[in-house]
Amino acid sequence: MEPAGEEEAWREGASSPGAAAPSALGLAFSKILRRLTGRPARRRDARATAVKDLGALLEATACERLFARSGGARRKMPETLGEVAKALEKYASPPREAEARGDAAGPEVAARAAEVGALFLQLLSKVEAARSAPGELCPEWRAGLRRLAGPAYVFAVTHSLEQPWGSPSSRDVAGEVLAALLRVTDCGSVAGFLRGENQEEEGRLPVILGLLKPSLNKESWKNNPAVKHVFSWTLQQVTRPWLTQYLESTLPPSLLISDDYQTENKILGVRCLHHIVLNVPVADLLQYNRAQVIYHAIFNHLYMPEYHLIEAVLLCLLDLFPVLEKAQHWTGDAARPTTHCDEVLQLILTHMEAEHRLLLRRTYARNLPTFVGRLGILSVRHLKRLERVIVGYLEVYDGPEEEARLKMLETLKVLMYYTWPRISCRLVVLLKALLKLICDVARDQNLTPEPVKNALLEEATGCLIVLDHCCQGQVKDLLARILLSCEDSTVVSCIRQVHQDCDSMPYHGM
């Protein structure tokens, strides 16, 4: 058909569905698809016009014509609709420069998203109508839904997330598209849509990952700034045991995003890797040395002075350590081998000793008790450096919430519990540090809120009690001399609390 005749046939199909030639509908969709993806699509006005024409065509076409089974071009209608849906999703996606321009690209992308979202709602409403029609009228609706579901999902997630290229209206439309998609697929949640609602039903995650895969390689993953967010959000919806079968498709993109130079992308990638560690069995993570690959990929991030990144890395490592330790075997006839946890703690303590930035100090301090608890008695290997770090952090005011000091007191208590035979030789240093802290808090009249002061005094008193048990009552004897000369009521109250608790629980060994 010549272009003029094709245009005439399209107009017939748009204005009078019943009178159109059998192949006119397919030709009309094919022409719009070429205008969205072909050479003329480089002009924005050409694509915008094609989108408006598509809306008019869908409005004028009954679902019986979209999903009927007949010869000619109609036989390929599900495939054509799928290609149109992919083109619409790409048309609404933010350009690469949206990351650099920030909010400047937002209104333009949001306007396109609202327009495309309305078309997706039209398409899904046609599927819903075809589904409720008698089977002989719309037998191809299932094939059409399979082609539409993936692009509709990618579009909905892209524009429903809080990102610079969105707006309240575009997010609302995207949310409606996602709700309509779940409704027409009979899925109660996004997780059910991705993994399948039951064992007999195949999930749609392979289709989604297949759509994202061309944009998730080393050369192209930054061409669309939304792809990484869609992948990350989708990955978070799939949990154990379903994630295992998609490990080969989800681990490489997660490593790729984590390996970027931008801190934001590093954090996103580490969170994806953390989700994989939590939701994939140990045996699968150890196979092909995957756990070691993850460990080495994120260990180097610990050298970055970004507290958000450090927090994400430490949380991921703490859940990765049990996996890595499964591959180690200790026979009991030799010293225990150094673990990955030892390696990370050694680096953390090195950074903590010289760190002066409050946010990083708090991040390290927040995770230190967990590391000591994770090593248990093996934390004795790091006892000297732990002592220096704890004493040093207890001396420095940490702001109104005193998070670092509180976490240091918690760390000290856990450390004394596991390494109590080595504590008595450190009695003088630890006792001075705890008493100095109590005196500083007692004299602080303005900076620290009362609830925080009370928490500090309570934790410090608890540490004195544990220290007394580790040192077989020596702390109680030394504090008895202070009571004779101390005039501060707060300090005296703490010392008396130590005496009372130590007298009620005499030392019998740890």
PDB file of all heavy atoms in Angstrom, residues 295 299 302 317-318 320-322 324-325 328 337-349 367-368 370-376 378-379 381-382:
ATOM      1  N   TYR A 295      32.228  -9.723  48.273  1.00  0.00           N
ATOM      2  CA  TYR A 295      33.055  -9.160  49.342  1.00  0.00           C
ATOM      3  C   TYR A 295      34.111  -8.205  48.795  1.00  0.00           C
ATOM      4  O   TYR A 295      34.255  -7.074  49.272  1.00  0.00           O
ATOM      5  CB  TYR A 295      33.720 -10.300  50.122  1.00  0.00           C
ATOM      6  CG  TYR A 295      34.713  -9.829  51.151  1.00  0.00           C
ATOM      7  CD1 TYR A 295      34.285  -9.285  52.363  1.00  0.00           C
ATOM      8  CD2 TYR A 295      36.083  -9.923  50.906  1.00  0.00           C
ATOM      9  CE1 TYR A 295      35.201  -8.853  53.309  1.00  0.00           C
ATOM     10  CE2 TYR A 295      37.003  -9.493  51.842  1.00  0.00           C
ATOM     11  CZ  TYR A 295      36.557  -8.956  53.043  1.00  0.00           C
ATOM     12  OH  TYR A 295      37.462  -8.514  53.965  1.00  0.00           O
ATOM     13  N   PHE A 299      34.334  -4.232  49.619  1.00  0.00           N
ATOM     14  CA  PHE A 299      35.340  -3.935  50.646  1.00  0.00           C
ATOM     15  C   PHE A 299      36.058  -2.625  50.360  1.00  0.00           C
ATOM     16  O   PHE A 299      36.313  -1.828  51.267  1.00  0.00           O
ATOM     17  CB  PHE A 299      36.341  -5.088  50.743  1.00  0.00           C
ATOM     18  CG  PHE A 299      37.453  -4.856  51.725  1.00  0.00           C
ATOM     19  CD1 PHE A 299      37.247  -5.067  53.078  1.00  0.00           C
ATOM     20  CD2 PHE A 299      38.694  -4.398  51.306  1.00  0.00           C
ATOM     21  CE1 PHE A 299      38.270  -4.844  54.003  1.00  0.00           C
ATOM     22  CE2 PHE A 299      39.718  -4.169  52.215  1.00  0.00           C
ATOM     23  CZ  PHE A 299      39.501  -4.393  53.561  1.00  0.00           C
ATOM     24  N   LEU A 302      35.005   0.862  51.649  1.00  0.00           N
ATOM     25  CA  LEU A 302      35.287   1.304  53.018  1.00  0.00           C
ATOM     26  C   LEU A 302      36.340   2.414  53.063  1.00  0.00           C
ATOM     27  O   LEU A 302      36.494   3.069  54.091  1.00  0.00           O
ATOM     28  CB  LEU A 302      35.754   0.121  53.868  1.00  0.00           C
ATOM     29  CG  LEU A 302      34.694  -0.946  54.164  1.00  0.00           C
ATOM     30  CD1 LEU A 302      35.322  -2.127  54.879  1.00  0.00           C
ATOM     31  CD2 LEU A 302      33.553  -0.369  54.999  1.00  0.00           C
ATOM     32  N   LEU A 317      28.147  -6.275  54.803  1.00  0.00           N
ATOM     33  CA  LEU A 317      29.234  -7.163  55.224  1.00  0.00           C
ATOM     34  C   LEU A 317      28.847  -8.002  56.434  1.00  0.00           C
ATOM     35  O   LEU A 317      29.200  -9.185  56.513  1.00  0.00           O
ATOM     36  CB  LEU A 317      30.478  -6.333  55.534  1.00  0.00           C
ATOM     37  CG  LEU A 317      31.231  -5.771  54.324  1.00  0.00           C
ATOM     38  CD1 LEU A 317      32.336  -4.829  54.792  1.00  0.00           C
ATOM     39  CD2 LEU A 317      31.808  -6.891  53.480  1.00  0.00           C
ATOM     40  N   LEU A 318      28.130  -7.417  57.369  1.00  0.00           N
ATOM     41  CA  LEU A 318      27.738  -8.160  58.566  1.00  0.00           C
ATOM     42  C   LEU A 318      26.863  -9.361  58.219  1.00  0.00           C
ATOM     43  O   LEU A 318      26.915 -10.393  58.902  1.00  0.00           O
ATOM     44  CB  LEU A 318      27.012  -7.231  59.542  1.00  0.00           C
ATOM     45  CG  LEU A 318      27.910  -6.253  60.307  1.00  0.00           C
ATOM     46  CD1 LEU A 318      27.084  -5.202  61.022  1.00  0.00           C
ATOM     47  CD2 LEU A 318      28.790  -7.000  61.297  1.00  0.00           C
ATOM     48  N   LEU A 320      27.080 -10.806  55.209  1.00  0.00           N
ATOM     49  CA  LEU A 320      27.879 -11.637  54.311  1.00  0.00           C
ATOM     50  C   LEU A 320      28.887 -12.501  55.067  1.00  0.00           C
ATOM     51  O   LEU A 320      29.264 -13.586  54.585  1.00  0.00           O
ATOM     52  CB  LEU A 320      28.611 -10.738  53.307  1.00  0.00           C
ATOM     53  CG  LEU A 320      29.435 -11.415  52.219  1.00  0.00           C
ATOM     54  CD1 LEU A 320      28.546 -12.289  51.329  1.00  0.00           C
ATOM     55  CD2 LEU A 320      30.157 -10.369  51.373  1.00  0.00           C
ATOM     56  N   PHE A 321      29.328 -12.067  56.245  1.00  0.00           N
ATOM     57  CA  PHE A 321      30.334 -12.812  57.008  1.00  0.00           C
ATOM     58  C   PHE A 321      29.920 -14.257  57.286  1.00  0.00           C
ATOM     59  O   PHE A 321      30.735 -15.174  57.106  1.00  0.00           O
ATOM     60  CB  PHE A 321      30.643 -12.100  58.321  1.00  0.00           C
ATOM     61  CG  PHE A 321      31.418 -10.823  58.152  1.00  0.00           C
ATOM     62  CD1 PHE A 321      31.240  -9.760  59.029  1.00  0.00           C
ATOM     63  CD2 PHE A 321      32.316 -10.670  57.110  1.00  0.00           C
ATOM     64  CE1 PHE A 321      31.937  -8.576  58.873  1.00  0.00           C
ATOM     65  CE2 PHE A 321      33.024  -9.491  56.947  1.00  0.00           C
ATOM     66  CZ  PHE A 321      32.828  -8.440  57.826  1.00  0.00           C
ATOM     67  N   PRO A 322      28.680 -14.539  57.734  1.00  0.00           N
ATOM     68  CA  PRO A 322      28.322 -15.950  57.965  1.00  0.00           C
ATOM     69  C   PRO A 322      28.424 -16.802  56.712  1.00  0.00           C
ATOM     70  O   PRO A 322      28.759 -17.987  56.792  1.00  0.00           O
ATOM     71  CB  PRO A 322      26.866 -15.854  58.460  1.00  0.00           C
ATOM     72  CG  PRO A 322      26.721 -14.474  58.999  1.00  0.00           C
ATOM     73  CD  PRO A 322      27.604 -13.624  58.154  1.00  0.00           C
ATOM     74  N   LEU A 324      30.604 -16.294  54.176  1.00  0.00           N
ATOM     75  CA  LEU A 324      32.027 -16.522  53.917  1.00  0.00           C
ATOM     76  C   LEU A 324      32.625 -17.514  54.903  1.00  0.00           C
ATOM     77  O   LEU A 324      33.511 -18.308  54.539  1.00  0.00           O
ATOM     78  CB  LEU A 324      32.779 -15.183  53.999  1.00  0.00           C
ATOM     79  CG  LEU A 324      32.405 -14.149  52.935  1.00  0.00           C
ATOM     80  CD1 LEU A 324      33.008 -12.795  53.283  1.00  0.00           C
ATOM     81  CD2 LEU A 324      32.880 -14.602  51.562  1.00  0.00           C
ATOM     82  N   GLU A 325      32.152 -17.492  56.142  1.00  0.00           N
ATOM     83  CA  GLU A 325      32.704 -18.392  57.152  1.00  0.00           C
ATOM     84  C   GLU A 325      32.293 -19.837  56.919  1.00  0.00           C
ATOM     85  O   GLU A 325      32.939 -20.759  57.428  1.00  0.00           O
ATOM     86  CB  GLU A 325      32.271 -17.937  58.541  1.00  0.00           C
ATOM     87  CG  GLU A 325      32.954 -16.639  58.973  1.00  0.00           C
ATOM     88  CD  GLU A 325      32.336 -16.042  60.225  1.00  0.00           C
ATOM     89  OE1 GLU A 325      31.458 -16.708  60.808  1.00  0.00           O
ATOM     90  OE2 GLU A 325      32.717 -14.928  60.613  1.00  0.00           O
ATOM     91  N   GLN A 328      35.066 -21.765  55.444  1.00  0.00           N
ATOM     92  CA  GLN A 328      36.270 -21.979  56.241  1.00  0.00           C
ATOM     93  C   GLN A 328      36.075 -23.168  57.167  1.00  0.00           C
ATOM     94  O   GLN A 328      34.986 -23.380  57.714  1.00  0.00           O
ATOM     95  CB  GLN A 328      36.588 -20.727  57.056  1.00  0.00           C
ATOM     96  CG  GLN A 328      36.975 -19.526  56.205  1.00  0.00           C
ATOM     97  CD  GLN A 328      37.302 -18.317  57.048  1.00  0.00           C
ATOM     98  OE1 GLN A 328      36.876 -18.216  58.193  1.00  0.00           O
ATOM     99  NE2 GLN A 328      38.061 -17.386  56.491  1.00  0.00           N
ATOM    100  N   PRO A 337      41.916 -19.421  61.981  1.00  0.00           N
ATOM    101  CA  PRO A 337      42.399 -18.537  60.901  1.00  0.00           C
ATOM    102  C   PRO A 337      41.762 -17.157  61.000  1.00  0.00           C
ATOM    103  O   PRO A 337      40.668 -16.986  61.541  1.00  0.00           O
ATOM    104  CB  PRO A 337      41.956 -19.266  59.629  1.00  0.00           C
ATOM    105  CG  PRO A 337      40.778 -20.081  60.054  1.00  0.00           C
ATOM    106  CD  PRO A 337      41.058 -20.495  61.479  1.00  0.00           C
ATOM    107  N   THR A 338      42.451 -16.179  60.479  1.00  0.00           N
ATOM    108  CA  THR A 338      41.912 -14.825  60.430  1.00  0.00           C
ATOM    109  C   THR A 338      40.724 -14.789  59.467  1.00  0.00           C
ATOM    110  O   THR A 338      40.793 -15.338  58.356  1.00  0.00           O
ATOM    111  CB  THR A 338      42.984 -13.834  59.947  1.00  0.00           C
ATOM    112  OG1 THR A 338      44.091 -13.897  60.848  1.00  0.00           O
ATOM    113  CG2 THR A 338      42.448 -12.421  59.927  1.00  0.00           C
ATOM    114  N   THR A 339      39.659 -14.169  59.898  1.00  0.00           N
ATOM    115  CA  THR A 339      38.440 -14.146  59.099  1.00  0.00           C
ATOM    116  C   THR A 339      38.307 -12.821  58.358  1.00  0.00           C
ATOM    117  O   THR A 339      39.064 -11.873  58.581  1.00  0.00           O
ATOM    118  CB  THR A 339      37.214 -14.343  60.001  1.00  0.00           C
ATOM    119  OG1 THR A 339      37.106 -13.228  60.903  1.00  0.00           O
ATOM    120  CG2 THR A 339      37.329 -15.626  60.798  1.00  0.00           C
ATOM    121  N   HIS A 340      37.318 -12.752  57.478  1.00  0.00           N
ATOM    122  CA  HIS A 340      37.028 -11.504  56.786  1.00  0.00           C
ATOM    123  C   HIS A 340      36.548 -10.446  57.764  1.00  0.00           C
ATOM    124  O   HIS A 340      36.803  -9.252  57.573  1.00  0.00           O
ATOM    125  CB  HIS A 340      35.968 -11.746  55.709  1.00  0.00           C
ATOM    126  CG  HIS A 340      36.420 -12.657  54.619  1.00  0.00           C
ATOM    127  ND1 HIS A 340      36.320 -14.032  54.705  1.00  0.00           N
ATOM    128  CD2 HIS A 340      36.994 -12.400  53.413  1.00  0.00           C
ATOM    129  CE1 HIS A 340      36.799 -14.578  53.598  1.00  0.00           C
ATOM    130  NE2 HIS A 340      37.217 -13.616  52.799  1.00  0.00           N
ATOM    131  N   CYS A 341      35.872 -10.876  58.820  1.00  0.00           N
ATOM    132  CA  CYS A 341      35.423  -9.929  59.840  1.00  0.00           C
ATOM    133  C   CYS A 341      36.619  -9.281  60.537  1.00  0.00           C
ATOM    134  O   CYS A 341      36.597  -8.084  60.847  1.00  0.00           O
ATOM    135  CB  CYS A 341      34.526 -10.632  60.850  1.00  0.00           C
ATOM    136  SG  CYS A 341      33.702  -9.527  62.022  1.00  0.00           S
ATOM    137  N   ASP A 342      37.668 -10.065  60.786  1.00  0.00           N
ATOM    138  CA  ASP A 342      38.903  -9.506  61.350  1.00  0.00           C
ATOM    139  C   ASP A 342      39.475  -8.435  60.432  1.00  0.00           C
ATOM    140  O   ASP A 342      39.893  -7.361  60.890  1.00  0.00           O
ATOM    141  CB  ASP A 342      39.944 -10.620  61.547  1.00  0.00           C
ATOM    142  CG  ASP A 342      39.625 -11.494  62.744  1.00  0.00           C
ATOM    143  OD1 ASP A 342      39.626 -10.973  63.863  1.00  0.00           O
ATOM    144  OD2 ASP A 342      39.377 -12.692  62.552  1.00  0.00           O
ATOM    145  N   GLU A 343      39.507  -8.740  59.146  1.00  0.00           N
ATOM    146  CA  GLU A 343      40.075  -7.809  58.183  1.00  0.00           C
ATOM    147  C   GLU A 343      39.305  -6.493  58.151  1.00  0.00           C
ATOM    148  O   GLU A 343      39.891  -5.405  58.145  1.00  0.00           O
ATOM    149  CB  GLU A 343      40.071  -8.457  56.790  1.00  0.00           C
ATOM    150  CG  GLU A 343      40.739  -7.622  55.716  1.00  0.00           C
ATOM    151  CD  GLU A 343      40.700  -8.317  54.369  1.00  0.00           C
ATOM    152  OE1 GLU A 343      39.900  -9.275  54.204  1.00  0.00           O
ATOM    153  OE2 GLU A 343      41.457  -7.903  53.471  1.00  0.00           O
ATOM    154  N   VAL A 344      37.988  -6.594  58.160  1.00  0.00           N
ATOM    155  CA  VAL A 344      37.160  -5.384  58.105  1.00  0.00           C
ATOM    156  C   VAL A 344      37.276  -4.595  59.405  1.00  0.00           C
ATOM    157  O   VAL A 344      37.418  -3.364  59.397  1.00  0.00           O
ATOM    158  CB  VAL A 344      35.697  -5.752  57.821  1.00  0.00           C
ATOM    159  CG1 VAL A 344      34.806  -4.516  57.901  1.00  0.00           C
ATOM    160  CG2 VAL A 344      35.578  -6.390  56.436  1.00  0.00           C
ATOM    161  N   LEU A 345      37.241  -5.287  60.547  1.00  0.00           N
ATOM    162  CA  LEU A 345      37.344  -4.588  61.821  1.00  0.00           C
ATOM    163  C   LEU A 345      38.691  -3.882  61.952  1.00  0.00           C
ATOM    164  O   LEU A 345      38.766  -2.755  62.485  1.00  0.00           O
ATOM    165  CB  LEU A 345      37.140  -5.563  62.975  1.00  0.00           C
ATOM    166  CG  LEU A 345      37.203  -4.966  64.382  1.00  0.00           C
ATOM    167  CD1 LEU A 345      36.175  -3.856  64.551  1.00  0.00           C
ATOM    168  CD2 LEU A 345      37.027  -6.040  65.446  1.00  0.00           C
ATOM    169  N   GLN A 346      39.737  -4.505  61.488  1.00  0.00           N
ATOM    170  CA  GLN A 346      41.059  -3.868  61.540  1.00  0.00           C
ATOM    171  C   GLN A 346      41.060  -2.563  60.745  1.00  0.00           C
ATOM    172  O   GLN A 346      41.588  -1.539  61.188  1.00  0.00           O
ATOM    173  CB  GLN A 346      42.111  -4.838  60.989  1.00  0.00           C
ATOM    174  CG  GLN A 346      43.535  -4.300  61.065  1.00  0.00           C
ATOM    175  CD  GLN A 346      44.550  -5.321  60.569  1.00  0.00           C
ATOM    176  OE1 GLN A 346      44.190  -6.395  60.116  1.00  0.00           O
ATOM    177  NE2 GLN A 346      45.819  -4.977  60.662  1.00  0.00           N
ATOM    178  N   LEU A 347      40.448  -2.574  59.568  1.00  0.00           N
ATOM    179  CA  LEU A 347      40.392  -1.364  58.752  1.00  0.00           C
ATOM    180  C   LEU A 347      39.498  -0.303  59.404  1.00  0.00           C
ATOM    181  O   LEU A 347      39.834   0.889  59.406  1.00  0.00           O
ATOM    182  CB  LEU A 347      39.861  -1.709  57.353  1.00  0.00           C
ATOM    183  CG  LEU A 347      39.763  -0.543  56.376  1.00  0.00           C
ATOM    184  CD1 LEU A 347      41.134   0.076  56.127  1.00  0.00           C
ATOM    185  CD2 LEU A 347      39.138  -1.002  55.065  1.00  0.00           C
ATOM    186  N   ILE A 348      38.381  -0.741  59.981  1.00  0.00           N
ATOM    187  CA  ILE A 348      37.482   0.202  60.650  1.00  0.00           C
ATOM    188  C   ILE A 348      38.192   0.894  61.804  1.00  0.00           C
ATOM    189  O   ILE A 348      38.092   2.125  61.972  1.00  0.00           O
ATOM    190  CB  ILE A 348      36.219  -0.531  61.143  1.00  0.00           C
ATOM    191  CG1 ILE A 348      35.338  -0.946  59.962  1.00  0.00           C
ATOM    192  CG2 ILE A 348      35.409   0.356  62.087  1.00  0.00           C
ATOM    193  CD1 ILE A 348      34.154  -1.776  60.373  1.00  0.00           C
ATOM    194  N   LEU A 349      38.895   0.138  62.619  1.00  0.00           N
ATOM    195  CA  LEU A 349      39.597   0.724  63.761  1.00  0.00           C
ATOM    196  C   LEU A 349      40.690   1.691  63.301  1.00  0.00           C
ATOM    197  O   LEU A 349      40.919   2.726  63.937  1.00  0.00           O
ATOM    198  CB  LEU A 349      40.195  -0.378  64.628  1.00  0.00           C
ATOM    199  CG  LEU A 349      39.177  -1.278  65.337  1.00  0.00           C
ATOM    200  CD1 LEU A 349      39.874  -2.419  66.063  1.00  0.00           C
ATOM    201  CD2 LEU A 349      38.336  -0.473  66.322  1.00  0.00           C
ATOM    202  N   ASN A 367      28.030   0.709  64.366  1.00  0.00           N
ATOM    203  CA  ASN A 367      28.185  -0.690  63.941  1.00  0.00           C
ATOM    204  C   ASN A 367      29.248  -1.450  64.716  1.00  0.00           C
ATOM    205  O   ASN A 367      29.344  -2.676  64.582  1.00  0.00           O
ATOM    206  CB  ASN A 367      28.527  -0.727  62.450  1.00  0.00           C
ATOM    207  CG  ASN A 367      27.389  -0.252  61.570  1.00  0.00           C
ATOM    208  OD1 ASN A 367      26.469  -1.004  61.267  1.00  0.00           O
ATOM    209  ND2 ASN A 367      27.437   1.007  61.161  1.00  0.00           N
ATOM    210  N   LEU A 368      30.046  -0.743  65.514  1.00  0.00           N
ATOM    211  CA  LEU A 368      31.135  -1.411  66.220  1.00  0.00           C
ATOM    212  C   LEU A 368      30.663  -2.488  67.204  1.00  0.00           C
ATOM    213  O   LEU A 368      31.279  -3.567  67.264  1.00  0.00           O
ATOM    214  CB  LEU A 368      32.002  -0.372  66.935  1.00  0.00           C
ATOM    215  CG  LEU A 368      33.350  -0.848  67.459  1.00  0.00           C
ATOM    216  CD1 LEU A 368      34.189  -1.453  66.343  1.00  0.00           C
ATOM    217  CD2 LEU A 368      34.097   0.293  68.135  1.00  0.00           C
ATOM    218  N   THR A 370      28.224  -4.510  66.992  1.00  0.00           N
ATOM    219  CA  THR A 370      27.853  -5.707  66.232  1.00  0.00           C
ATOM    220  C   THR A 370      29.085  -6.452  65.755  1.00  0.00           C
ATOM    221  O   THR A 370      29.125  -7.695  65.748  1.00  0.00           O
ATOM    222  CB  THR A 370      26.969  -5.319  65.032  1.00  0.00           C
ATOM    223  OG1 THR A 370      25.921  -4.461  65.470  1.00  0.00           O
ATOM    224  CG2 THR A 370      26.365  -6.546  64.388  1.00  0.00           C
ATOM    225  N   PHE A 371      30.122  -5.729  65.350  1.00  0.00           N
ATOM    226  CA  PHE A 371      31.356  -6.381  64.919  1.00  0.00           C
ATOM    227  C   PHE A 371      32.023  -7.122  66.067  1.00  0.00           C
ATOM    228  O   PHE A 371      32.492  -8.257  65.904  1.00  0.00           O
ATOM    229  CB  PHE A 371      32.315  -5.347  64.324  1.00  0.00           C
ATOM    230  CG  PHE A 371      32.114  -5.102  62.857  1.00  0.00           C
ATOM    231  CD1 PHE A 371      31.206  -4.167  62.422  1.00  0.00           C
ATOM    232  CD2 PHE A 371      32.828  -5.826  61.921  1.00  0.00           C
ATOM    233  CE1 PHE A 371      31.009  -3.953  61.073  1.00  0.00           C
ATOM    234  CE2 PHE A 371      32.644  -5.618  60.564  1.00  0.00           C
ATOM    235  CZ  PHE A 371      31.729  -4.677  60.139  1.00  0.00           C
ATOM    236  N   VAL A 372      32.069  -6.492  67.233  1.00  0.00           N
ATOM    237  CA  VAL A 372      32.675  -7.155  68.396  1.00  0.00           C
ATOM    238  C   VAL A 372      31.868  -8.383  68.777  1.00  0.00           C
ATOM    239  O   VAL A 372      32.422  -9.458  69.067  1.00  0.00           O
ATOM    240  CB  VAL A 372      32.774  -6.173  69.578  1.00  0.00           C
ATOM    241  CG1 VAL A 372      33.259  -6.894  70.836  1.00  0.00           C
ATOM    242  CG2 VAL A 372      33.720  -5.026  69.235  1.00  0.00           C
ATOM    243  N   GLY A 373      30.540  -8.245  68.776  1.00  0.00           N
ATOM    244  CA  GLY A 373      29.703  -9.405  69.071  1.00  0.00           C
ATOM    245  C   GLY A 373      29.846 -10.498  68.041  1.00  0.00           C
ATOM    246  O   GLY A 373      29.773 -11.693  68.358  1.00  0.00           O
ATOM    247  N   ARG A 374      30.053 -10.109  66.781  1.00  0.00           N
ATOM    248  CA  ARG A 374      30.214 -11.093  65.715  1.00  0.00           C
ATOM    249  C   ARG A 374      31.507 -11.903  65.916  1.00  0.00           C
ATOM    250  O   ARG A 374      31.517 -13.122  65.732  1.00  0.00           O
ATOM    251  CB  ARG A 374      30.264 -10.363  64.378  1.00  0.00           C
ATOM    252  CG  ARG A 374      30.531 -11.210  63.184  1.00  0.00           C
ATOM    253  CD  ARG A 374      29.308 -11.997  62.773  1.00  0.00           C
ATOM    254  NE  ARG A 374      29.692 -13.225  62.122  1.00  0.00           N
ATOM    255  CZ  ARG A 374      28.896 -14.261  61.954  1.00  0.00           C
ATOM    256  NH1 ARG A 374      27.660 -14.219  62.415  1.00  0.00           N
ATOM    257  NH2 ARG A 374      29.305 -15.348  61.357  1.00  0.00           N
ATOM    258  N   LEU A 375      32.589 -11.238  66.295  1.00  0.00           N
ATOM    259  CA  LEU A 375      33.853 -11.937  66.527  1.00  0.00           C
ATOM    260  C   LEU A 375      33.860 -12.710  67.837  1.00  0.00           C
ATOM    261  O   LEU A 375      34.546 -13.725  67.971  1.00  0.00           O
ATOM    262  CB  LEU A 375      35.011 -10.946  66.497  1.00  0.00           C
ATOM    263  CG  LEU A 375      35.498 -10.502  65.123  1.00  0.00           C
ATOM    264  CD1 LEU A 375      36.545  -9.414  65.262  1.00  0.00           C
ATOM    265  CD2 LEU A 375      36.061 -11.686  64.342  1.00  0.00           C
ATOM    266  N   GLY A 376      33.118 -12.205  68.818  1.00  0.00           N
ATOM    267  CA  GLY A 376      33.087 -12.888  70.107  1.00  0.00           C
ATOM    268  C   GLY A 376      34.439 -12.864  70.786  1.00  0.00           C
ATOM    269  O   GLY A 376      35.115 -11.833  70.861  1.00  0.00           O
ATOM    270  N   LEU A 378      37.148 -13.878  69.735  1.00  0.00           N
ATOM    271  CA  LEU A 378      38.240 -13.558  68.809  1.00  0.00           C
ATOM    272  C   LEU A 378      38.500 -12.063  68.725  1.00  0.00           C
ATOM    273  O   LEU A 378      39.507 -11.638  68.147  1.00  0.00           O
ATOM    274  CB  LEU A 378      37.921 -14.100  67.414  1.00  0.00           C
ATOM    275  CG  LEU A 378      37.826 -15.624  67.293  1.00  0.00           C
ATOM    276  CD1 LEU A 378      37.535 -16.021  65.854  1.00  0.00           C
ATOM    277  CD2 LEU A 378      39.117 -16.287  67.771  1.00  0.00           C
ATOM    278  N   SER A 379      37.630 -11.254  69.295  1.00  0.00           N
ATOM    279  CA  SER A 379      37.896  -9.817  69.328  1.00  0.00           C
ATOM    280  C   SER A 379      39.100  -9.483  70.204  1.00  0.00           C
ATOM    281  O   SER A 379      39.596  -8.355  70.183  1.00  0.00           O
ATOM    282  CB  SER A 379      36.665  -9.054  69.828  1.00  0.00           C
ATOM    283  OG  SER A 379      36.260  -9.519  71.102  1.00  0.00           O
ATOM    284  N   ARG A 381      41.935 -10.348  69.613  1.00  0.00           N
ATOM    285  CA  ARG A 381      43.005 -10.019  68.674  1.00  0.00           C
ATOM    286  C   ARG A 381      43.144  -8.512  68.468  1.00  0.00           C
ATOM    287  O   ARG A 381      44.208  -8.018  68.119  1.00  0.00           O
ATOM    288  CB  ARG A 381      42.727 -10.675  67.326  1.00  0.00           C
ATOM    289  CG  ARG A 381      42.738 -12.187  67.325  1.00  0.00           C
ATOM    290  CD  ARG A 381      42.179 -12.715  66.013  1.00  0.00           C
ATOM    291  NE  ARG A 381      42.323 -14.162  65.885  1.00  0.00           N
ATOM    292  CZ  ARG A 381      41.766 -14.887  64.934  1.00  0.00           C
ATOM    293  NH1 ARG A 381      41.012 -14.278  64.024  1.00  0.00           N
ATOM    294  NH2 ARG A 381      41.942 -16.186  64.873  1.00  0.00           N
ATOM    295  N   HIS A 382      42.041  -7.788  68.655  1.00  0.00           N
ATOM    296  CA  HIS A 382      42.020  -6.346  68.388  1.00  0.00           C
ATOM    297  C   HIS A 382      41.870  -5.542  69.686  1.00  0.00           C
ATOM    298  O   HIS A 382      41.471  -4.386  69.648  1.00  0.00           O
ATOM    299  CB  HIS A 382      40.864  -6.008  67.442  1.00  0.00           C
ATOM    300  CG  HIS A 382      40.788  -6.897  66.236  1.00  0.00           C
ATOM    301  ND1 HIS A 382      41.525  -6.670  65.097  1.00  0.00           N
ATOM    302  CD2 HIS A 382      40.071  -8.033  66.013  1.00  0.00           C
ATOM    303  CE1 HIS A 382      41.248  -7.611  64.205  1.00  0.00           C
ATOM    304  NE2 HIS A 382      40.371  -8.454  64.735  1.00  0.00           N
TER     305      HIS A 382
END
